Amino acid sequence: MSENRANAKKESQGGYIGFVAGMFSGVAKNLVGHPFDTIKVRLQTSENRFKGPLDCVYKTARLEGIRGFYKGCTPPLIGWVVMDAVMLGSLTNYRQCLMETVYSGQEELPLVGHCLAGVGAGWTVSFVAAPIEQIKARLQVQYDPKSRLYSGPINCLSKIVGSSGIRGLYSGLFSTMVFRTNFLFWWGSYEIFTTQLRQHTHLSDVAVNFWSGGLSATVFWVFAYPADVVKQVVMTDSPTSPRHATWAAAVAHVYRTRGWRGFFRGFVPSILRSFPANAAALAAFEFVNTALR
């Protein structure tokens, strides 16, 4: 009887533990990845300002100093904590829900179940991510005091809501959901890497989570990157008189002005960022998740 009670308690704790572990994941990701993210967003949204990633790094450092790489850092510092808590917490609950309903007769959740849970988590976190990422992106593309529209995240939030209402904060929601549909590749490949590393290596659990997290994030970005470019174009558009009325119009604009290569502009810093940032984040998530359980 006491064993059943303990198991029930563990199951009831599963939901909030996933959210708490996700908070630690968000902190780790922001500390490691934000400078790479700034370079990525600048390359994605500028037309002819930079020749490539190294030129962007050089000009940012020369004109703005180290602080330039951390512009827009406050929204993700808070936002990624919230976003990863929602993403990884909902992922945990979607997995549990699928296991208890669709796959109740199986001992473990199959690969397709992990993919479905990943898509569900991606769509869920989009409602949190869309306004946070929009504020971050708008701050990241402020290059000098003359062109600066916002003094900080609160000012940016106030101006967007003042000119376009709450709807303005969610102007990039659809593009965010399209981008995060690719979570099926992330969490599907994460399950594959985790299983293979545990079966064929003698790595510790933390090391397995680190390598699986980094490798699966790389797989995700290979598939998701074009959608991320379109998302950034939508989010940095004018909130009052946007050039792109729809997501499809933004896709057409990128292709018309940059060609197919435009969908991969900024890909190098994104890939360089994806492994260390997400490896650290998922190692932190799994460590805290295991410790709390």
Side-chain angles (χ1 to χ4, degrees), residues 186-206:
W186 190 348
W187 295 108
S189 63
Y190 181 76
E191 177 62 17
I192 293 172
F193 287 128
T194 300
T195 301
Q196 293 301 312
L197 287 172
R198 283 178 177 163
Q199 289 179 353
H200 301 291
T201 71
H202 299 288
L203 294 172
S204 66
D205 285 344
V206 173

Side-chain angles (χ1 to χ4, degrees), residues 40-242:
K40 173 182 74 75
V41 171
R42 290 188 167 192
L43 289 170
Q44 287 176 327
T45 56
S46 63
E47 296 298 334
N48 299 301
R49 186 181 289 268
F50 309 110
K51 297 176 183 177
L54 292 179
D55 183 54
C56 185
V57 171
Y58 171 72
K59 288 182 177 177
T60 300
R62 182 170 62 87
L63 298 175
E64 304 169 67
I66 296 299
R67 293 181 65 181
F69 294 101
Y70 283 91
K71 281 187 173 177
C73 180
T74 305
L77 180 60
I78 300 170
W80 268 336
V81 170
V82 177
M83 285 159 55
D84 275 20
V86 172
M87 178 184 72
L88 295 169
S90 62
L91 178 73
T92 302
N93 284 281
Y94 283 132
R95 284 173 173 172
Q96 184 176 327
C97 179
L98 286 168
M99 195 65 206
E100 292 174 354
T101 56
V102 181
Y103 303 106
S104 58
Q106 301 186 30
E107 292 184 5
E108 295 183 354
L109 188 67
L111 178 60
V112 66
H114 286 280
C115 292
L116 289 173
V119 173
W123 288 349
T124 301
V125 76
S126 292
F127 290 89
V128 179
I132 292 171
E133 291 188 343
Q134 181 169 169
I135 293 171
K136 174 182 72 69
R138 292 187 184 280
L139 292 173
Q140 285 175 316
V141 296
Q142 295 191 135
Y143 299 100
D144 54 66
K146 291 181 180 179
S147 63
R148 189 171 72 173
L149 296 175
Y150 314 108
S151 59
I154 301 299
N155 181 251
C156 182
L157 171 66
S158 176
K159 286 186 175 179
I160 293 173
V161 173
S163 62
S164 309
I166 297 297
R167 186 175 181 178
L169 280 176
Y170 281 92
S171 60
L173 177 61
F174 180 75
S175 59
T176 303
M177 295 182 75
V178 171
F179 166 67
R180 280 180 162 75
T181 299
N182 290 282
F183 275 15
L184 72 93
F185 297 111
W186 190 348
W187 295 108
S189 63
Y190 181 76
E191 177 62 17
I192 293 172
F193 287 128
T194 300
T195 301
Q196 293 301 312
L197 287 172
R198 283 178 177 163
Q199 289 179 353
H200 301 291
T201 71
H202 299 288
L203 294 172
S204 66
D205 285 344
V206 173
V208 167
N209 295 331
F210 178 87
W211 285 103
S212 298
L215 291 169
S216 61
T218 302
V219 171
F220 163 74
W221 278 107
V222 168
F223 285 97
Y225 197 79
D228 187 55
V229 171
V230 177
K231 175 171 70 75
Q232 300 298 347
V233 169
V234 170
M235 287 185 166
T236 55
D237 203 356
S238 170
T240 52
S241 53

